[in-house]
């Protein structure tokens, strides 16, 4: 005689080995259904969710507020990340200070002399405030259509000492300066490698007008004789 048992769905007495419950129709009415196994968690997933405390080295979950072992706040954040908002402004201040120091050294190296032209027509501000800015002069007429500008300190003056800015590369500057000196019989102090200009003096208005039309001349700047 087979053993009786209750259907796990409706409670009807059925054979323990019955394939179907005659009351509710459930298959294997007396069999116990096992729960599905828990999802597997890989080692990689565990490591992604836990890190070492930055103070004591104990394993803590990512995003935890306080380490249970040592009590450190935000144990999953490194010192660099925590100090980032402080270090970035300090780095910017240091860069500005370094740039200012370089600017001071450049001014000391080039101080006392007017700076070069930014273009053929627009003069740059002088390196120091000891000299006034130069302005274009109309006292040196040129016969060519495209003439180099003449920049002077006063529109009413007709100076004779100039710094000649030349076209072409700096490697040919000395050769071009010697050529201009010979061709126009200039009283020259030679090519100044620091200012990158040819320093001349005693130039007549006619000579200046001719120099304006020379293709090797980019601009003439009045020079204060010393």
């Amino acid at each position: 005689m087979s053993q009786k048992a209750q259907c796990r769905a409706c409670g009807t007495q059925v054979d323990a080995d019955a394939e179907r419950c005659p009351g509710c129709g459930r298959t294997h009415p007396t069999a116990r259904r096992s729960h599905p196994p828990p999802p597997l968690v890989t080692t990689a997933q565990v490591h992604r969710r836990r890190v070492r405390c930055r103070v004591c080295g104990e394993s803590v979950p990512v995003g935890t507020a306080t380490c249970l072992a040592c009590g450190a706040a935000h144990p999953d954040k490194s010192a660099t990340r925590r100090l980032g908002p402080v270090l970035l402004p300090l780095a910017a201040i240091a860069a500005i200070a370094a740039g200012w120091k370089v600017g001071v050294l450049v001014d000391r190296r080039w101080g006392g002399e007017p700076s070069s032209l930014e273009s053929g027509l627009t003069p740059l501000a002088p390196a120091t405030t000891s000299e006034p800015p130069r302005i274009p002069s109309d006292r040196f007429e040129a016969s060519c259509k495209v003439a180099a500008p003449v920049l002077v300190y006063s529109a009413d003056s007709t100076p004779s000492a100039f710094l000649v800015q030349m076209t072409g590369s700096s490697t040919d500057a000395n050769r071009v300066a010697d050529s201009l000196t010979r061709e126009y019989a200039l009283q020259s102090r030679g090519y100044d490698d620091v200012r990158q200009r040819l320093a001349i003096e005693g130039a007549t208005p006619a000579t200046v007008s001719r120099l304006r039309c020379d293709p090797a001349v980019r601009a003439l700047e009045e020079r204060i004789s010393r």
Side-chain angles (χ1 to χ4, degrees), residues 18-19 25 28 35 43 68 93 99 105 110 116 127 149-150 158 163 172 174 187 191 193 196 198 212-213 216:
E19 294 290 333
H28 303 291
H35 295 285
T43 303
L68 297 178
I93 294 173
L105 293 176
W110 295 81
S116 61
V150 179
T158 307
L163 293 172
D172 299 331
N174 283 285
Q187 299 179 30
Y191 181 74
D193 291 320
Q196 297 184 346
L198 171 63
R212 294 186 64 192
C213 294

Side-chain angles (χ1 to χ4, degrees), residues 6-12 14-35:
Q6 286 186 344
C7 173
R8 298 185 63 82
C10 64
T12 303
V14 297
D15 292 338
D17 298 330
E19 294 290 333
R20 185 178 297 276
C21 176
C24 64
R26 176 174 177 170
T27 58
H28 303 291
T30 62
R32 293 180 177 271
R33 294 194 176 183
S34 60
H35 295 285

Side-chain angles (χ1 to χ4, degrees), residues 87-103:
L87 293 178
L88 288 178
L90 292 178
I93 294 173
I96 294 173
W100 175 81
K101 186 174 182 62
V102 171

